[in-house]
């Protein structure tokens, strides 16, 4: 992309189709979710490098609760691991993390990890 192209200040991405992507490749759905997480991390880096000021990732909709419980648990395990691994990088890059939506159905431990990540990056 040319440096002369102006980018929007806010980009929103709906993360969808990772499980189907994996199944098309005869891999478990969890493989697709992990690939989606890696793609999101690359997207965050690229948005930061390109000067996008706000990035919204729509990663889990209310319809996702209808998935098999093990798949839902896997998604939230990926989130918890990402929080453990990535908060330091967010801080280093002056990136503020905020979660929006109804978090009430998430486990108390995950909600705490999310709140802690928000608090750590609140000054960014």
């Amino acid at each position: 992309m040319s440096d002369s192209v102006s980018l929007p200040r806010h980009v929103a991405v709906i993360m969808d189709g990772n499980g189907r992507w994996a199944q098309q490749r005869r891999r478990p759905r969890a493989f697709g979710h992990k690939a989606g997480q890696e793609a999101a991390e690359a997207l965050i880096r690229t948005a930061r490098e390109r000067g996008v000021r706000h990035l919204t990732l729509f990663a889990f909709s209310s319809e996702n609760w209808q998935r098999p419980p093990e798949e839902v648990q896997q998604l939230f395990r990926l989130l918890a691991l990402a929080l453990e691994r990535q908060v330091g990088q967010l801080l280093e890059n002056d990136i503020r993390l905020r979660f929006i939506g109804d978090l009430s159905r998430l486990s108390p431990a995950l909600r705490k990890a999310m709140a802690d990540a928000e608090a750590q990056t609140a000054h960014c």
Side-chain angles (χ1 to χ4, degrees):
M1 188 177 273
S2 167
D3 287 338
S4 65
V5 173
S6 92
L7 294 175
R9 291 175 44 95
H10 185 182
V11 174
V13 176
I14 299 172
M15 298 174 61
D16 188 34
N18 296 317
R20 287 185 299 277
W21 176 86
Q23 287 180 311
Q24 290 169 352
R25 286 156 181 77
R26 294 188 172 95
R27 301 297 301 260
R29 291 179 63 84
F31 178 82
H33 297 313
K34 177 68 173 136
Q37 178 186 10
E38 292 167 1
E41 290 171 7
L43 176 62
I44 292 165
R45 280 191 305 275
T46 301
R48 174 79 172 146
E49 291 166 2
R50 295 290 188 161
V52 173
R53 303 254 320 134
H54 306 280
L55 178 64
T56 300
L57 299 177
F58 187 76
F60 192 86
S61 71
S62 58
E63 290 84 17
N64 291 147
W65 287 110
Q66 303 307 312
R67 294 176 183 214
E70 178 54 38
E71 184 175 355
V72 172
Q73 290 173 4
Q74 173 65 26
L75 288 168
F76 291 131
R77 278 194 297 270
L78 281 173
L79 174 58
L81 289 171
L83 290 173
E84 287 177 25
R85 288 191 348 252
Q86 301 296 329
V87 170
Q89 289 180 329
L90 295 175
L91 291 168
E92 287 173 16
N93 289 288
D94 201 32
I95 297 173
R96 181 178 180 185
L97 178 65
R98 293 190 342 174
F99 293 95
I100 57 175
D102 180 5
L103 309 178
S104 65
R105 292 181 66 183
L106 305 180
S107 73
L110 182 56
R111 286 196 317 264
K112 180 179 181 336
M114 294 164 74
D116 289 349
E118 285 183 326
Q120 289 177 53
T121 63
H123 70 280
C124 297

